[in-house]
Structures are given as C-alpha cells and as structure tokens.
Amino acid sequence: MDKPIDAGLKERAAKVIPNGMYGHESTRILPDGYPQFFEKGEGAYIWDADGNRYLDFMCAYGPNLLGYRDGRVDAAAARQAALGDTLTGPAPVMVELAETLVSMVDHADWAMFCKNGTDATSMALMAARAQTGRRTILVAEGAYHGAAAWCTPLPSGTVAEDRAWQQRYRYNDIESLEAAVAAAGDDLAAIFASPFKHDVFVDQELPDPAYARRARELCDEKGAMLVIDEVRAGFRTTRDCSWSLVGVKPDLSCWGKSLGNGQPLSALLGADSCRQGAGSIYVTGSFWFAAVPMAAALETMRIIRETDYLEHMVALGDRLRAGLDAAAGEHGFRLRQSGPVQMPLIMFADDPDVRFGYAWGQEMLARGVYVHPWHNMFLCAAMTVADIDFALAAASEAFAAIAARRAEIQPSPALLAMAAAQAGQH
Ligand code: PMP
C-alpha cells in the first residue's frame, strides 16, 4: 500500500518548516494518527490530505461559525474580490462594517480592524495603557490571549520583561481579583477577562455575575479599562458582547475568528471611555484593510442578526451533551462536559493524564469525527441533527472500543512533556 499522503507531507514539512508545524494546530500535541494537513472543507466537514472525511468539532479553532464555504458569505467575498482587496487604502466596506458592529455590540462606540486575535488583544493592551497612562494589566491564570511576547504561553524566545507589569488573578474569584487590583496600586491600566473560562485541560466555567460586576466596579473605582477577549467565543454565546449576558459592559472587546466566517479579520471594539487612547496608538498592518474579509464579515453579521444560527447550535449542543453522557455511562465511563453546549470541553472524569481522552479521540477519528481531547470544541450552524446522531453513534462505538482495551491504554509522552513545559512557566 502507498504511504499516506499526510505522512509524506509531514516528512517533507519537517525539512522546510521548523518541527514540521507550530502552534496549537501542530498535531505533535494531539493523539497519534491525527492528520496534519487538510485538503478541503464543506459545511460541517473537513477532508484530510488523504481524502478522509471528518465531522469537524474544531471548526478551524473557531472561525467556522456558519459552515465552511458558506454560499452567502462566499458570494459577498467574491463580489468584493471582483472589485479589489488589498488596496492603497481601505474600501468603503470598512465604514459600513464598523457601523454594523457598533450597532450590534452594545458597549461599542467605535471599531478598529486587524488580522488575528493577537493583534486585537495586543491593541487592547496598548489602547488601555495609552488611555490611562498606566502600565499594569490583570490577566486570569491560565487564560489564553494570543501568541505575542506579552501573552504567549511558552517562555521560549521571550524575556521576563515582556511580561512585566502583569498581575494574575483567578477567574471567578473576587478575592483574588481584589488582591491583584490592590497589588497594582495606582498603576492599574486594565483587567482582561475571557467571556467565560475556556482554558485548556480544566473544566470551563461560565462567569459568575458577581465576579463580572466586581471587575467592572474595580475598573470604575480605579479609572482602568475592562477588556473582554471575545476572540474565541465571539457570536457563539450571544449576538452581543458575551458579558451582556451578565449585565456588564466592558470598555474594550477583542474579536476575531468567527467575524468573517473564516476570512482573516479581527477587530478591537471600544467605548468612548477608551476612544482617545485607541486613537493615539500607532497600529497597522499591510493586510489589515483588505476589503474581502470585511465584506465577508458584513454578510456574516447579517446572517447572525437574521437567522437562528445560535439557537440551532445550542439545540444541537444539548443533544450532543446528553447523548454523550448516556453513551459514556453505558460503557462504564463518566465524562466531564463543561462550558456552553455549543462550545463544549469534553474530558473524562478520573483521567488526569488524559489517556482516555486521547484514546477516545483516536477512536472517534477512525469513525470520521474530529474531536479534541483537551481544548474546547465548537459547533457550527451547518451541523444538523443527523450529524449529531452520527457523532453519537461513533461515540458509542468509541467508548466500547476503549472499554475493551482499558488496561493497556497509556498516557502520551508528548502531552506530558507539553504539560510540564507549560507548568514550568508559572
Ligand atoms: N484570545 C483567545 C481567547 C483565543 O482563543 C485566541 C486564539 N485561540 C486568541 C486570543 C489569539 O487569536 P489568534 O490566534 O487569531 O491570534
């Protein structure tokens, strides 16, 4: 039999790309057998380079909100592409998109556009410091805000000074938040928070409204900026900023991933409380004003406003969660399913080294379902009840398969090494 195409690509990549791949999309930190390269996507499905099809519960780590190659978004992008994309300045669509986002996101009075989530969070950091004239920011322990030197989770290539002027607090823990604010003294520029706790390996947590309100109060007392990092969860919890669900308005919110349903675009949205600071920083990029992603985002926003995409994902997520609990129980396993059902983290109870999660992921993959053993997953609006039932049938077989070889399942050395490297940082 011919060697799989993915294996051949990995071998070639190892010669011309450091480690063959980098970042969280590297399959070195996933169970053996996970394909690295994908040939195409359509709706809720992806095909690897060998032509194997998977129901995709990672949704490109978030950008796929409505389905890959959504016809409505692609048509809007194609119309703009016929006119121009990266030009000497932005196209008119930039203003229309800014107006649209300001009208949809309650706390926002203005918008600035960029490419990646890290651009938006880094810009939030600068805008908050410029607005307040202060240095210190508060970040929750274990929270991911991107891969720039100030926030990348691995220390290699950074210096301690890159992370100077930062205090850590525990998400949902008012006392630790107050202690971090006290430690910042009169130098507090901003409190960063995720819409809900969506860290890797640990159960997800919705925001306690009392914690969210206290974060707002502390920012008001200190004249600091409250920043919500919506990059991962944006438009997957509500059609507004996520903390509108707990009645709290931030000064700044960072968006990316789903904004253009896969087209490269991110944004910093802000209130007038941070307009002057945002207007004073020098931020830009050669591709930040590309018109095609903005046209795609405008159409994505229309679909968000006018369809039940969100309610549909929640209904499917409820079905998935209940079905998985039942299937796991039938085979003697207990799951820890946490977070919003449309952004589930699915781990096994009593599985500290994630060995069962890994083994289950491999069995799911073999049955055409792409799941992640330790990162939250994503449903997309292109999924159907039939897709969820397909996943549940695969899950039942996968639980049975790992139950049969339970005693032989070993932890992954690569995962243990990565966990140790990250733990060494704190
Ligand atoms: N913030 C959060 C919450 C994220 O999940 C991510 C990406 N996973 C980022 C920021 C950074 O986004 P990007 O990878 O597009 O730079």
Side-chain angles (χ1 to χ4, degrees):
M1 208 182 104
D2 289 344
K3 184 159 75 172
I5 294 170
D6 191 72
L9 286 167
K10 277 181 181 158
E11 267 179 39
R12 285 164 54 198
K15 296 193 183 118
V16 290
I17 297 166
N19 284 325
M21 180 57 193
Y22 40 89
H24 54 273
E25 290 92 345
S26 168
T27 53
R28 286 185 307 138
I29 51 178
L30 282 173
D32 290 343
Y34 269 60
Q36 181 70 78
F37 298 97
F38 294 94
E39 158 183 281
K40 62 174 185 173
E42 179 83 49
Y45 287 84
I46 45 176
W47 283 257
D48 68 20
D50 289 285
N52 301 304
R53 186 186 85 147
Y54 307 100
L55 176 59
D56 177 21
F57 281 104
M58 285 315 288
C59 292
Y61 285 80
N64 178 22
L65 177 69
L66 305 172
Y68 293 109
R69 302 186 62 234
D70 179 272
R72 300 158 294 184
V73 178
D74 280 8
R79 278 194 300 276
Q80 180 61 51
L83 297 171
D85 188 14
T86 296
L87 305 168
T88 299
V93 66
M94 181 184 184
V95 181
E96 203 179 338
L97 182 59
E99 287 169 348
T100 298
L101 289 169
V102 164
S103 74
M104 289 173 68
V105 176
D106 193 31
H107 83 86
D109 297 312
W110 53 262
M112 293 169 81
F113 298 102
C114 36
K115 279 294 99 168
N116 284 285
T118 307
D119 299 332
T121 56
S122 300
M123 210 147 83
L125 171 77
M126 290 172 70
R129 284 181 172 157
Q131 180 72 35
T132 60
R134 308 197 193 128
R135 292 167 291 195
T136 303
I137 60 157
L138 268 48
V139 180
E141 278 168 18
Y144 186 75
H145 294 300
W150 69 271
C151 56
T152 187
L154 292 181
S156 181
T158 68
V159 294
E161 288 82 353
D162 290 323
R163 282 180 300 282
W165 312 113
Q166 292 186 23
Q167 295 284 341
R168 298 270 178 257
Y169 70 93
R170 282 185 302 281
Y171 197 88
N172 269 343
D173 180 335
I174 292 177
E175 249 174 60
S176 82
L177 184 65
E178 288 173 343
V181 168
D186 57 8
D187 191 44
L188 184 66
I191 298 176
F192 276 69
S194 307
F196 59 92
K197 183 174 169 178
H198 50 34
D199 307 345
V200 290
F201 295 112
V202 295
D203 294 348
Q204 302 194 103
E205 286 176 34
L206 295 181
D208 176 348
Y211 147 77
R213 281 195 297 270
R214 189 70 185 125
R216 180 66 272 173
E217 266 170 26
L218 289 164
C219 284
D220 290 342
E221 276 168 30
K222 299 284 177 184
M225 300 290 113
L226 180 61
V227 184
I228 303 298
D229 178 356
E230 295 277 356
V231 170
R232 193 181 310 176
F235 299 118
R236 271 195 165 84
T237 66
T238 176
R239 293 169 175 83
D240 191 350
C241 181
S242 294
W243 276 22
S244 66
L245 297 172
V246 288
V248 172
K249 285 190 199 182
D251 301 282
L252 296 168
S253 56
C254 309
W255 304 73
K257 294 197 185 266
S258 67
L259 208 53
N261 198 49
Q263 286 277 351
L265 187 69
S266 60
L268 177 66
L269 304 186
D272 282 333
S273 56
C274 200
R275 187 189 285 262
Q276 180 271 326
S280 75
I281 57 176
Y282 185 78
V283 283
T284 187
S286 299
F287 299 106
W288 283 17
F289 308 102
V292 168
M294 292 185 187
L298 201 57
E299 178 62 4
T300 304
M301 292 307 119
R302 184 194 67 75
I303 295 166
I304 285 172
R305 286 193 310 277
E306 295 180 8
T307 71
D308 67 348
Y309 81 102
L310 181 56
E311 294 69 25
H312 175 68
M313 292 194 303
V314 170
L316 295 182
D318 280 334
R319 188 180 185 92
L320 179 69
R321 183 163 292 182
L324 285 177
D325 272 338
E330 277 166 27
H331 297 283
F333 293 104
R334 207 159 50 77
L335 296 178
R336 280 167 33 209
Q337 302 196 72
S338 60
V341 292
Q342 66 279 27
M343 285 182 66
L345 177 68
I346 303 172
M347 310 234 354
F348 284 64
D350 313 313
D351 187 24
D353 54 23
V354 203
R355 66 178 72 183
F356 293 121
Y358 261 49
W360 186 70
Q362 287 173 315
E363 297 288 352
M364 291 294 274
L365 195 78
R367 291 167 177 78
V369 184
Y370 192 106
V371 295
H372 200 296
W374 47 264
H375 188 292
N376 79 264
M377 294 184 253
F378 304 83
L379 274 65
C380 74
M383 289 176 176
T384 63
V385 170
D387 290 329
I388 299 301
D389 291 348
F390 168 64
L392 290 174
S396 196
E397 286 180 24
F399 288 127
I402 62 169
R405 58 184 174 91
R406 198 175 177 133
E408 292 107 68
I409 296 173
Q410 295 298 318
S412 147
L415 180 69
L416 295 179
M418 185 191 72
Q422 292 210 1
Q425 250 242 111
H426 299 295

